[in-house]
Amino acid sequence: DPGENPHVGDLTGEDIAKHNSRESCWVIVHGKAYDVTEFLPEHPGGPKIILKYAGKDATEEYEPIHPPDTLDKFLPKDKHLGPVNMDTVQQEIKEESPEEKERQERIKKMPKLEVCYNLMDFETVARHVMKKPAWAYYSSGADDEITMRENHSAFHKIWFRPKVLVDVKNVDISTTMLATKVDIPFYVTATALGKLGHPEGEVVLTRAAHKHNVVQMIPTLASCSFDEIVDARQGDQVQWLQLYVNKDREITKKIVQHAEARGVRGLYITVDAPQLGRREKDMRTKFDDSGSNVQSTSGDNVDRSQGAARAISSFIDPSLSWKDIPWFRSITKMPIFLKGVQRVEDVLKAIECGVDGVVLSNHGGRQLDTARSGIEVLAEVMPILRERGLQDKIEILIDGGVRRATDIIKALCLGAKGVGIGRPFLFAMSAYGQPGVDRAMQLLKDEMAMNMRLIGAAKIEDLTPDMVDISSARSHFVTQPEDTLAKRAYDALITPNDMLK
Ligand SMILES: Cc1cc2c(cc1C)[n+](S(=O)(=O)[O-])c1c(=O)[nH]c(=O)nc-1n2C[C@H](O)[C@H](O)[C@H](O)COP(=O)(O)O
């Protein structure tokens, strides 16, 4: 009688363990059994990582990479074998590796949250406490990571021309982005696989975005399901959707129309990733985990060694082009932005196509290496739009390397409506959970108010192009002239005699 024994009829661990081969492969996920034998060759991450858990409980490995509704969506119902009595499943006693022991020690000694005074502090702590694959995935850029570093250093080539004696007693740092009133001109940009850094994943960012009244851009490749992230929204909180366009347009149409039905307020089509870049730190950690080195698999012609990103993105359509824009117009009423535009010619094309906005971005340096930073492209775009009277025809956002409120202010002075921020919030979340993200956002708000005062601006509209000097913005290699005379004076080894030489 099920009343007495709730597990009557359940499968047992023994039943599952018998199906532990390529010929017959059953796995357990969240207490339910699945026959994935026929799915093995289709798995984007390759068959090997599944075979590592054949006949066993795969939940821990499955969780960070797959939204919870993945099996319901992609595995035929007849392969869903039903509940498993987990008391009968022999849980693997995972011997803690020496590396994991060391990491746990570092977590015990990590700095208190109050010691984080800026966004880079979170990155420093995260590097020490995150699991290697998670750190590698979040921190990696493409190829030599030159663009990833340039994104941040580009802001240091732009200098302020502050105004003085402006009444800045009351400073208002709020603004509107895509007709949404926000407390401060940044949004949480789309970054994939949130559960690599935190067991709750993207919903942590949803809660922090609500608390600080900023917009969250929901990633296509989120660990949480889309509906989980939308369900975590509170009150009239605004979310946008970042879209990787699927080769199967029907799937894309369903995703977009479902998002609109769920009240998402903007569609951001990612256009800089027809194929995901080579993030070598991410790739290297895949080799460390023997199960996921899925190179040698029969009949598997896709190179799966490119880390999690490349594996889970094989659905992206590289044929996407300008001719597809009208189709997007036909399937949704949401405003449409192109995310990843990197030259003024494409901004002009976007205006011609009637697109509502663009994000000037190189994907955080994770795509084409030695592409220019978003802020440098912005410095190229805005003067030309103004020249042609087009600056109000399209909303311009930028992202990449934003780590200080001064970076946000420089972007706004040049004409952006706001900026997207990615890694800092991931690192804050991974190291300290939601309190970390809250603090990161609050630090930016405090910096923003202070720096607006120091530049002589009481509100966002007061930020104008004449407040920045961009004469060095296009130099990718700024040498400092060697001031040998001064150097001589400061070189303790030089004696007065030498001066007589
Ligand atoms: C850090 C990071 C960025 C990703 C990201 C994942 C991570 C871990 N992923 S990715 O795996 O495919 O590359 C996405 C993504 O899903 N879609 C997207 O449009 N941009 C993606 N981006 C780019 C992101 O939206 C911003 O362009 C970038 O993060 C801005 O730079 P910062 O990280 O320096 O703020």
Side-chain angles (χ1 to χ4, degrees), residues 137-138 189-192 219 221 242 244 270 276 279 309 339 361 363-364 366 399-403 420-424 426:
Y137 188 70
Y138 289 171
T189 189
T191 54
L221 292 177
Q242 171 272 324
Y244 276 133
T270 297
L276 288 200
R279 296 102 184 240
K339 175 177 182 290
S361 164
H363 214 105
R366 295 163 70 82
D399 74 24
V402 173
R403 300 295 180 267
I421 300 178
R423 292 182 182 87
L426 286 177

Side-chain angles (χ1 to χ4, degrees), residues 21 136 138 164 175 227 244 258 263 317 354 363 390 412 435 442 448 450 454 467 471 476 485 501:
S21 69
Y138 289 171
V164 295
T175 186
D227 287 314
Y244 276 133
H258 177 63
D317 183 355
H363 214 105
L390 296 172
L412 269 72
Q442 190 52 51
M448 189 82 185
M450 179 195 74
L454 298 181
M467 298 175 107
S471 52
H476 296 141
L485 282 182
K501 281 178 191 153

Side-chain angles (χ1 to χ4, degrees), residues 179-253:
T180 301
K181 189 119 176 62
V182 291
D183 279 7
I184 178 171
F186 71 71
Y187 59 89
V188 181
T189 189
T191 54
L193 303 186
K195 284 188 182 173
L196 277 181
H198 187 283
E200 288 187 85
E202 288 80 5
V203 294
V204 174
L205 302 172
T206 311
R207 291 195 291 262
H210 173 258
K211 184 169 174 188
H212 291 274
N213 188 32
V214 295
V215 178
Q216 176 190 20
M217 188 188 286
I218 300 174
T220 298
L221 292 177
S223 300
C224 294
S225 72
F226 170 80
D227 287 314
E228 270 180 313
I229 300 172
V230 173
D231 291 345
R233 189 172 68 195
Q234 297 168 56
D236 59 355
Q237 180 176 357
V238 172
Q239 294 170 318
W240 298 330
L241 172 67
Q242 171 272 324
L243 182 73
Y244 276 133
V245 178
N246 196 307
K247 293 172 185 136
D248 178 341
R249 285 292 191 279
E250 273 315 301
I251 294 179
T252 289
K253 182 174 175 184

Side-chain angles (χ1 to χ4, degrees), residues 426-498:
L426 286 177
F427 293 139
M429 173 180 78
S430 303
Y432 296 100
Q434 187 182 340
V437 187
D438 285 344
R439 182 167 171 86
M441 291 184 176
Q442 190 52 51
L443 286 170
L444 279 174
K445 282 182 171 177
D446 299 345
E447 284 186 19
M448 189 82 185
M450 179 195 74
N451 287 306
M452 291 275 284
R453 284 204 165 84
L454 298 181
I455 194 175
K459 55 188 185 308
I460 296 295
E461 294 72 36
D462 296 344
L463 295 174
T464 48
D466 62 289
M467 298 175 107
V468 283
D469 168 358
I470 57 169
S471 52
S472 307
R474 300 175 74 124
S475 57
H476 296 141
F477 184 73
V478 186
T479 50
Q480 302 294 345
E482 176 81 3
D483 183 352
T484 45
L485 282 182
K487 200 167 162 224
R488 276 165 53 96
Y490 285 97
D491 183 337
L493 300 182
I494 297 279
T495 63
N497 301 359
D498 298 341

Side-chain angles (χ1 to χ4, degrees), residues 124-429:
T124 306
V125 176
R127 183 195 185 105
H128 275 78
V129 299
M130 287 180 76
K131 286 189 178 158
K132 215 168 128 201
W135 164 258
Y137 188 70
Y138 289 171
S139 63
S140 50
D143 300 5
D144 301 316
E145 301 189 334
I146 292 169
T147 290
M148 185 171 80
R149 289 188 294 276
E150 169 67 9
N151 278 349
H152 179 53
S153 56
F155 286 102
H156 305 151
K157 292 182 269 185
I158 295 177
W159 295 81
F160 282 127
R161 303 179 67 250
K163 290 179 181 169
V164 295
L165 294 178
V166 173
D167 175 358
V168 286
K169 178 164 175 276
N170 302 315
V171 164
D172 175 3
I173 64 172
S174 69
T175 186
T176 56
M177 265 193 264
L178 198 50
T180 301
K181 189 119 176 62
V182 291
D183 279 7
I184 178 171
F186 71 71
Y187 59 89
V188 181
T189 189
T191 54
L193 303 186
K195 284 188 182 173
L196 277 181
H198 187 283
E200 288 187 85
E202 288 80 5
V203 294
V204 174
L205 302 172
T206 311
R207 291 195 291 262
H210 173 258
K211 184 169 174 188
H212 291 274
N213 188 32
V214 295
V215 178
Q216 176 190 20
M217 188 188 286
I218 300 174
T220 298
L221 292 177
S223 300
C224 294
S225 72
F226 170 80
D227 287 314
E228 270 180 313
I229 300 172
V230 173
D231 291 345
R233 189 172 68 195
Q234 297 168 56
D236 59 355
Q237 180 176 357
V238 172
Q239 294 170 318
W240 298 330
L241 172 67
Q242 171 272 324
L243 182 73
Y244 276 133
V245 178
N246 196 307
K247 293 172 185 136
D248 178 341
R249 285 292 191 279
E250 273 315 301
I251 294 179
T252 289
K253 182 174 175 184
K254 250 174 77 190
I255 291 171
V256 170
Q257 293 186 333
H258 177 63
E260 184 167 13
R262 295 272 355 234
V264 164
R265 303 277 192 81
L267 176 63
Y268 286 72
I269 303 170
T270 297
V271 295
D272 60 7
Q275 169 182 348
L276 288 200
R278 271 176 64 87
R279 296 102 184 240
E280 292 177 5
K281 282 195 291 233
D282 175 40
M283 289 159 61
R284 278 188 226 290
T285 51
K286 291 296 153 285
F287 280 107
D288 289 359
D289 169 359
S290 60
S292 63
N293 170 2
V294 289
Q295 280 279 4
S296 54
T297 43
S298 57
D300 179 2
N301 55 3
V302 177
D303 170 8
R304 308 285 185 185
S305 68
Q306 309 287 317
R310 180 85 54 94
I312 60 174
S313 57
S314 46
F315 67 88
I316 295 174
D317 183 355
S319 75
L320 183 70
S321 72
W322 290 104
K323 68 174 179 12
D324 295 308
I325 301 298
W327 177 77
F328 285 99
R329 269 282 174 244
S330 73
I331 64 166
T332 178
K333 299 240 173 327
M334 288 191 282
I336 295 174
F337 272 57
L338 304 181
K339 175 177 182 290
V341 172
Q342 302 176 61
R343 56 191 280 164
V344 62
E345 296 89 335
D346 283 348
V347 176
L348 295 170
K349 249 194 205 147
I351 293 172
E352 263 167 50
C353 291
V355 159
D356 298 279
V358 293
V359 183
L360 303 179
S361 164
N362 53 50
H363 214 105
R366 295 163 70 82
Q367 289 301 109
L368 177 65
D369 202 15
T370 66
R372 296 177 300 166
S373 64
I375 190 76
E376 180 181 344
V377 176
L378 180 68
E380 170 187 275
V381 165
M382 293 317 290
I384 292 172
L385 292 194
R386 286 197 188 94
E387 225 171 75
R388 301 180 186 201
L390 296 172
Q391 69 277 22
D392 298 328
K393 287 270 184 266
I394 194 162
E395 188 153 325
I396 308 267
L397 302 171
I398 77 161
D399 74 24
V402 173
R403 300 295 180 267
R404 287 280 186 193
T406 44
D407 300 337
I408 302 175
I409 291 174
K410 289 172 184 173
L412 269 72
C413 286
L414 286 174
K417 281 293 275 175
V419 303
I421 300 178
R423 292 182 182 87
F425 297 140
L426 286 177
F427 293 139
M429 173 180 78

Side-chain angles (χ1 to χ4, degrees), residues 6-27:
H7 293 298
V8 73
D10 286 359
L11 288 158
T12 65
E14 211 179 313
D15 299 332
I16 311 297
K18 287 182 207 129
H19 302 269
N20 61 354
S21 69
R22 194 183 288 275
E23 293 62 43
S24 175
C25 181
W26 290 10
V27 291

